[in-house]
Amino acid sequence: MRWIAVGILVSVGAAATAQVNFRPLEYLFLAQPGQESAGESVDAEISPDGRYVVFMTTRPSVRKGHDLATYDVIRADAETGALKVVNRLPDQSPAPILSYYPRLGISDRGRAITFTAPTNLLTPYAQSNTLSAFHANLETNVITRIGSGSFVGELGRNGTQLAYLTDLGTCNSKNLVNGSSGRLYIPAFQDIDGINGNFGGVFSDSATARMFLTNIFDESGQRMLGLKSVMTTGQARTEVTVPSDKSLAPVYISDTLTDATFITNAPLSPLDTDLRYDLYRRNADGSYRFTDLGTLVPTNASQLSIAASRSGRYVLVGFDINNSQFDIDTYVYIDQTTGAVSNPRFYGVKQLGRRLSDDGRYFAIAGSDGHAKRVNAINESQLTVDSGPHPAPPRKPLNQMVHSAGGEAILFRGVEGYVPNNLEGLYIRMPDRSVKRVNTAQTPIAINDAGTKWVYRTWDGKTIFRDGIAGRTIELPQATGIVRLDGAGDVLAYERTDRQLYYLNLKTRVTKLISRTRTGAPSTGSSGVLAVVAGNGSKIFFSTSARDVAPGADRYYSTYEYETATDKLSLIRMKTDIENPGTWVRAVSYDGTTLIYGSVESCYRNLYRYYVPTATHKLVFKGSHVAEQFHDTNNTYLAFGDFRRSFLVNISDSNLAYLELKHPYKMEEPKFRKVDPRALRFLNHGYPCEVNIDFFYN
C-alpha cells in the first residue's frame, strides 16, 4: 500500500489550503546490525540540487533476483525514496556490471548519470577485456558508450559536458578528453599526462577545467622533490608546488582557472605557523587566501577525503586519524564566503562523496553498515536511500524518550533495534551520535545538552539526578511529579508530593520554593503540574491554581515568571486575564524570550505567544484541542500536537499560516535544536526523527 500524506496550509481566519507530498523522514538512530547484512552500496554521489543520490550496489533489496557478485548503478530520489536502475539495455533488461569501478557522475536534477563499466556492457555476449565510460540519459533512457579504454572523470552540471580519461592506445599514460553531447560526444584531446591514479583530480562545474597532482623528481629521476598541483583548461595552465615532505589535495577549480582551492600542510602563507592541514585559495594573480583550520584538525590526521560544492563555496574535509581505511573520524566544514569553520560529527562513514549540494546542506556517503545515504551537513542526520520508496524505520517504536533543552542529547529507554545487544536499561544518545548505556533505571526524565547530566526514575519510584562527569548523584526528595532541566544541566525545577514547585541550583545545591506566598510559605493549590525552564537557565515559568502566590491574582490558574539569578517572582499579566478563567504554560524558547501559553475562551482552547522583553501577546492558534499535549518553539516557529493531530505555525508571520501534518506524519515531543533553529526533532509514531522546517514548508 502506498502512503499518501497531506499537509494542509491554512491561515488563521482564512480558508487557503496547500498540499505537502510525503517524503521519508531522516531517522536519528541508525539501523543496528542484523537487519539486512547482505550486499553493499558504494561510491555514492549527490546531485547539485541535493535531491538525488547515485550509487553502485549489490544489495538484494534494491536488485531483485540479481547475483550478489555483480553491481548495479542506482539513482535514488531522496524525497520520494524512488529508485531507478541506470545500467539497462535498450530493451530495458538489466545489464549487470561485473565489478566495482569508482567515480560516478550525476547532473543537476539527476537527469544524466556517468559510470565506468566493461566495454561490452551494451553487447554482453561480445568479448571485452577493456573498460569504457558510459553516459546515461534518464529522460530518454538512452545509454551511450564513450570511447574505449576510458574512465569517467566528471560530468558537467547540465549533463551534456563530460570529461573522461583514456589511454589513447597506450598503456603508460592517461589523458583527458573533453566533449559535449549535442548528438554525439566529440573529443577535444588535451595532451596532459601525469595523473597519479586519482581518476583526474577535481573538475570545474562544467567539467572543462581540472586540477590534479603529479610528482616532481630530480634530474636522475630517482629522488622525489615534491608534489605539483596542475590546473588546466584548454592550453591554459597554472601550478602550485609543495616540498616532498608535505601533502597537497585538490578541492576546487573554476572554469577559467582564476580560482583554485586545495588543502595542504605546507606553510604557503606567512600566517600559517602550525604546520597542520589548512585550506588555501589561489587567486588569479597568484596570491593566496589562507583559512586557518587550526586545532580543528588533529595533529595525527591523515588520508583526506574531500567534498565540495560546485561553486567551491562549501567544503567538507574528512580525516582518518586512526589509519583504519574504513571509517572517517574527524571533519571540518568550511564556508569560504563567510569564513565560518566548524567541526561537525558524522558517524559510520566509509566513503565520502566528492560533492556537496549547491547550498552546502547535503552530501552522499557509503556507510560502514553497507548502505548508501544522504547526509544533512547542517543537522548531521542521515537518510538511507538504498532501501526503496519506504525506508524501514527501526524495529520498534521508542516511546520512552526525552530531549535536552537544546535538542542535542536524548535520554531513552533501550529497546530492540536501538542499542547494542538489545540490553535493557537507560541509554543516552550523545550529541556525537554515539549511544551509551548508563544504568538499569526505569524511566527517563530529563537530560542536559552535552549528555553528561541526566535525571531518571528508578523501579522503586525514586527520582535521581546524575552528574556523569563529576560522578555524583543527588536524590530529589519527594519528587514524584514533573522535572525540568536547563541546557547546561545546572538549573532544575521539580514538583514534590506537596504539589509545590521547587528550584534546585545544581552548582550550589541550594533549593528554593518557587510557588510561595508573600510570607514565603507554600501556596495552596497545585503549582508544579505545568512548568517550563528556559534552555539558558535564566527563567522558570509555571501555572498554578493557587490564588495566594505572591504577587497573587484572584483567578483560576495564573502564570508566573521566576528569575533564577535574582529569586524574583512576577505575575504575567496575560492578555486574556479578564475574559477567560485561566492560562497554562506550554513551551518556552531556549533564550527565555518567547513563552507559549494556552487559554480557554468560550469553550475554545487557544494558543498565545507572549514575548517577554516587551510583555506583548499574540494569538497564534485558535480553537483547537491539541493545545494540551506536545509543544516547542524557537521564537519563529511553534510545533505542537496531541496523539491525533500535529501542527506547525510560523508565529513571526502576520498571517499566522499553520500547517497541519497528516498521515504518515504524527509529531510527538517536538524539540527545536539550539545549534540549528530550523532543525526539528520529534517522535513520529514512536520513531525519533529530525527534519529541517523547509522539509514541510517547501
Side-chain angles (χ1 to χ4, degrees), residues 288-355:
Y288 292 115
R289 174 182 169 183
F290 165 62
T291 301
D292 187 2
L293 304 184
T295 57
L296 295 180
V297 180
T299 55
N300 58 340
S302 63
Q303 300 189 37
L304 282 68
S305 297
I306 300 170
S309 63
R310 290 177 179 252
S311 67
R313 172 175 178 175
Y314 303 101
V315 179
L316 178 66
V317 187
F319 299 94
D320 179 2
I321 60 176
N322 297 318
N323 291 315
S324 64
Q325 300 183 14
F326 291 103
D327 292 288
I328 302 169
D329 306 292
T330 302
Y331 294 85
V332 178
Y333 184 87
I334 306 125
D335 183 335
Q336 290 205 82
T337 299
T338 65
V341 180
S342 61
N343 239 151
R345 303 298 296 270
F346 308 108
Y347 283 81
V349 180
K350 184 176 181 179
Q351 291 177 320
L352 177 67
R354 295 174 290 109
R355 292 292 193 183

Side-chain angles (χ1 to χ4, degrees), residues 398-412:
L398 192 65
N399 292 313
Q400 291 192 28
M401 180 193 83
V402 291
H403 290 286
S404 63
E408 297 308 296
I410 298 173
L411 184 67
F412 67 99

Side-chain angles (χ1 to χ4, degrees), residues 114-293:
T114 50
F115 60 94
T116 301
T119 300
N120 66 339
L121 177 71
L122 301 178
T123 54
Y125 298 103
Q127 296 295 318
S128 175
N129 295 318
T130 62
L131 297 175
S132 291
F134 288 85
H135 176 278
N137 186 326
L138 299 189
E139 293 182 329
T140 62
N141 292 318
V142 173
I143 296 181
T144 306
R145 180 169 61 85
I146 312 300
S148 179
S150 55
F151 301 84
V152 169
E154 184 64 274
L155 180 64
R157 172 188 295 275
N158 63 8
T160 62
Q161 188 75 22
L162 172 69
Y164 65 96
L165 306 175
T166 178
D167 57 17
L168 295 178
T170 67
C171 298
N172 298 321
S173 65
K174 292 289 185 292
N175 295 271
L176 181 71
V177 177
N178 282 347
S180 61
S181 62
R183 288 175 298 177
L184 297 173
Y185 283 83
I186 303 173
F189 297 144
Q190 298 183 21
D191 184 17
I192 301 170
D193 300 322
I195 297 171
N196 66 346
N198 66 352
F199 289 88
V202 297
F203 291 79
S204 63
D205 190 15
S206 68
T208 58
R210 67 163 176 161
M211 175 165 48
F212 66 96
L213 296 179
T214 185
N215 298 325
I216 306 171
F217 294 91
D218 63 4
E219 292 182 358
S220 67
Q222 302 298 315
R223 186 168 68 91
M224 181 176 171
L225 300 178
L227 276 174
K228 179 165 63 176
S229 176
V230 180
M231 291 152 277
T232 177
T233 180
Q235 299 302 314
R237 176 189 298 211
T238 59
E239 299 176 356
V240 174
T241 302
V242 300
S244 60
D245 62 338
K246 303 300 178 186
S247 298
L248 192 151
V251 174
Y252 165 78
I253 184 71
S254 63
D255 286 331
T256 59
L257 306 186
T258 55
D259 185 1
T261 304
F262 53 91
I263 298 282
T264 183
N265 58 353
L268 301 181
S269 167
L271 302 176
D272 188 358
T273 59
D274 59 11
L275 300 182
R276 300 191 186 197
Y277 285 103
D278 292 303
L279 185 74
Y280 279 87
R281 185 171 182 172
R282 188 183 189 279
N283 301 314
D285 60 1
S287 62
Y288 292 115
R289 174 182 169 183
F290 165 62
T291 301
D292 187 2
L293 304 184

Side-chain angles (χ1 to χ4, degrees), residues 36-42 56-72 96-100 370:
E36 185 190 359
S37 57
E40 66 171 352
S41 296
V42 295
M56 297 189 75
T57 188
T58 62
R59 300 195 72 81
S61 62
V62 180
R63 311 166 59 252
K64 304 298 184 183
H66 284 208
D67 190 329
L68 287 177
T70 62
Y71 284 85
D72 275 339
I97 300 173
L98 300 180
S99 186
Y100 158 54

Side-chain angles (χ1 to χ4, degrees), residues 6 31 46 51 70 86 166-167 177 194 213 276 322 328 351 413 427 447 514 559 592 612 620 629 674:
V6 178
I46 195 84
R51 174 168 177 170
T70 62
V86 176
T166 178
D167 57 17
V177 177
L213 296 179
R276 300 191 186 197
N322 297 318
I328 302 169
Q351 291 177 320
R413 180 81 185 152
Y427 288 80
I447 190 168
I514 299 178
T559 298
V612 178
V620 294
Q629 295 293 338
K674 176 178 178 291

Side-chain angles (χ1 to χ4, degrees), residues 448-576:
N448 72 335
D449 284 333
T452 56
K453 302 175 184 178
W454 59 95
V455 181
Y456 60 92
R457 196 155 283 150
T458 63
W459 292 96
D460 57 1
K462 295 180 180 179
T463 303
I464 307 295
F465 167 81
R466 173 71 177 174
D467 187 331
I469 300 297
R472 62 173 177 153
T473 298
I474 300 175
E475 181 178 350
L476 305 179
Q478 304 175 16
T480 57
I482 66 165
V483 178
R484 301 287 185 261
L485 192 65
D486 73 330
D490 297 329
V491 172
L492 191 147
Y494 68 100
E495 179 191 9
R496 289 186 181 177
T497 53
D498 59 3
R499 307 302 301 275
Q500 301 299 318
L501 189 66
Y502 292 82
Y503 158 55
L504 171 60
N505 186 317
L506 292 164
K507 287 185 175 181
T508 63
R509 300 200 186 188
V510 173
T511 301
K512 295 182 179 180
L513 173 65
I514 299 178
S515 54
R516 60 192 181 224
T517 66
R518 295 182 184 276
T519 62
S523 64
T524 59
S526 175
S527 298
V529 175
L530 298 171
V532 292
V533 176
N536 61 10
S538 61
K539 300 177 185 295
I540 299 171
F541 298 92
F542 68 98
S543 299
T544 176
S545 62
R547 299 188 177 185
D548 56 350
V549 174
D554 187 16
R555 57 192 303 279
Y556 177 69
Y557 263 99
S558 299
T559 298
Y560 293 85
E561 173 188 355
Y562 176 77
E563 298 180 20
T564 58
T566 62
D567 194 36
K568 180 182 178 181
L569 182 64
S570 306
L571 172 68
I572 296 180
R573 298 290 179 181
M574 296 300 188
K575 179 180 180 181
T576 57

